[in-house]
Amino acid sequence: MKQQSIILLHNSEMHPSGVVGGKGANLLLLTKLQYAVPPGFILSTLFFEEVMKHTAVSSMMKNMSKENNVAKILSYAEQIKHIILSTSFSEQLQREIYKTFDSLHFDSVSVRSSTTVEDGLCYSFDGFFETYLHVKRKDIIKSIINCWISTYSERVLKYMVRSGIPMEKLKPAVVIQKMIVPDKAGVMFTRNVNTGNNNELIIESCDGLGSQVVDAKVEPSRYIVQKNTKKIIHSSTGSPATGLLNLVNLHNLSHLALSIELNFGYSQDIEWALVKEKPYI
């Protein structure tokens, strides 16, 4: 399979997480399975390597991967971030980004980190990487660079050292998607993360953007659904009241969560959004 530097989310071949990052690989699979995913494209790790090919980033990353000393790892990371900030995109690569953006007729987009160490079965990088919302065409490249920089943040690298994740596995990709404005949004867990009960799923909801829930900016409304009976066994209202869902909403979201868990084969943490009652993943 020929690997690409810019990959459309829809009507695209599958690509490994080593090329598109964990988030990118999951979104490609979801679109292939015909779930409703906002359209967009991925800047793969190959795009990052192309921008950085005439810099010292590659050698810095090799040196960093040989280190066990946290202070030295962080020192290399600071140098990498400085290089990223001081390296310009070639005119050709800028044209490719803008051409792809224009072909999809977006007004604004979300720009999200998708690294090669995210969304695995054994590790959790929730909240470690950057997401930028309502990004206009003129600000896309700035947001891409900021996502790349967040890959080498202190908390990411310290977590990798604690977890024994080899530094050479760390490469940045970026997911760019149409910015949708939801009526309600939130997250779903197909296992009760508070008790470990695999027969319960949790739906958390707020009015507006789901980032409020992900970033703990609001206390969401919360629903616990028994997976085998689909009954709501507990509900609580956010404070102030936000994200109230009706029975149809809850049924549709529960069905989606269980379907996605079945297709992936293991418990899922799913971001969702409702636009005029239609759920997006």
Side-chain angles (χ1 to χ4, degrees):
M1 179 194 303
K2 181 183 177 183
Q3 301 293 359
Q4 302 163 266
S5 62
I6 298 181
I7 299 161
L8 291 176
L9 269 176
H10 291 70
N11 303 317
S12 177
E13 297 176 336
M14 293 299 298
H15 294 264
S17 60
V19 173
V20 296
K23 191 179 281 91
N26 288 344
L27 288 170
L28 282 170
L29 179 55
L30 287 166
T31 58
K32 186 178 180 66
L33 295 170
Q34 299 187 333
Y35 290 99
V37 173
F41 58 100
I42 301 168
L43 300 182
S44 74
T45 57
L46 304 179
F47 188 95
F48 174 76
E49 291 168 359
E50 178 66 20
V51 174
M52 298 296 150
K53 68 180 179 181
H54 297 305
T55 73
V57 163
S58 180
S59 61
M60 290 285 180
M61 290 174 70
K62 286 178 183 177
N63 290 336
M64 191 168 69
S65 68
K66 296 174 185 175
E67 279 292 344
N68 294 316
N69 182 285
V70 174
K72 289 183 179 179
I73 288 171
L74 295 178
S75 176
Y76 281 125
E78 285 302 312
Q79 294 176 67
I80 290 171
K81 288 190 283 187
H82 177 75
I83 293 170
I84 291 172
L85 275 172
S86 59
T87 302
S88 299
F89 285 44
S90 70
E91 288 188 9
Q92 178 187 349
L93 291 178
Q94 288 188 53
R95 282 197 302 269
E96 288 181 16
I97 291 174
Y98 292 135
K99 180 181 178 182
T100 306
F101 179 93
D102 293 339
S103 71
L104 295 169
H105 307 290
F106 293 156
D107 177 44
S108 63
V109 292
S110 64
V111 181
R112 310 173 72 194
S113 297
S114 175
T115 74
T116 51
V117 295
E118 278 186 276
D119 296 328
L121 285 171
C122 302
Y123 309 106
S124 174
F125 286 87
D126 287 351
F128 280 28
F129 301 104
E130 293 298 330
T131 292
Y132 299 93
L133 304 177
H134 299 290
V135 178
K136 296 293 186 180
R137 185 184 192 273
K138 65 182 178 65
D139 296 319
I140 287 179
I141 290 177
K142 178 182 176 182
S143 298
I144 292 166
I145 290 169
N146 287 337
C147 283
W148 285 347
I149 289 171
S150 76
T151 303
Y152 301 96
S153 71
E154 181 175 338
R155 63 176 179 166
V156 169
L157 298 176
K158 284 185 173 179
Y159 180 79
M160 289 181 66
V161 170
R162 289 197 305 271
S163 303
I165 305 171
M167 289 294 160
E168 61 265 25
K169 289 185 176 292
L170 183 63
K171 293 182 181 179
V174 177
V175 175
I176 298 170
Q177 290 178 276
K178 179 181 179 180
M179 187 69 222
I180 62 171
V181 181
D183 303 308
K184 301 178 190 295
V187 293
M188 298 186 283
F189 305 93
T190 62
R191 176 175 64 91
N192 189 322
V193 291
N194 299 314
T195 65
N197 190 331
N198 280 314
N199 190 38
E200 293 176 357
L201 67 87
I202 297 176
I203 300 172
E204 295 184 340
S205 176
C206 70
D207 296 331
L209 293 169
S211 57
Q212 300 173 93
V213 176
V214 175
D215 298 335
K217 292 180 178 178
V218 299
E219 176 65 28
S221 292
R222 186 174 289 109
Y223 303 86
I224 299 177
V225 180
Q226 197 167 53
K227 288 160 76 170
N228 58 349
T229 65
K230 310 299 187 295
K231 290 182 178 178
I232 301 163
I233 56 177
H234 177 77
S235 66
S236 61
T237 301
S239 179
T242 184
L244 301 179
L245 299 173
N246 60 39
L247 289 175
V248 173
N249 298 150
L250 289 166
H251 172 81
N252 291 340
L253 289 169
S254 299
H255 175 77
L256 275 173
L258 296 176
S259 172
I260 291 170
E261 181 183 56
L262 182 64
N263 277 303
F264 277 76
Y266 54 92
S267 299
Q268 295 295 302
D269 172 355
I270 303 161
E271 293 181 45
W272 59 271
L274 285 179
V275 181
K276 296 180 180 178
E277 301 296 306
K278 178 178 180 178
Y280 287 86
I281 301 300

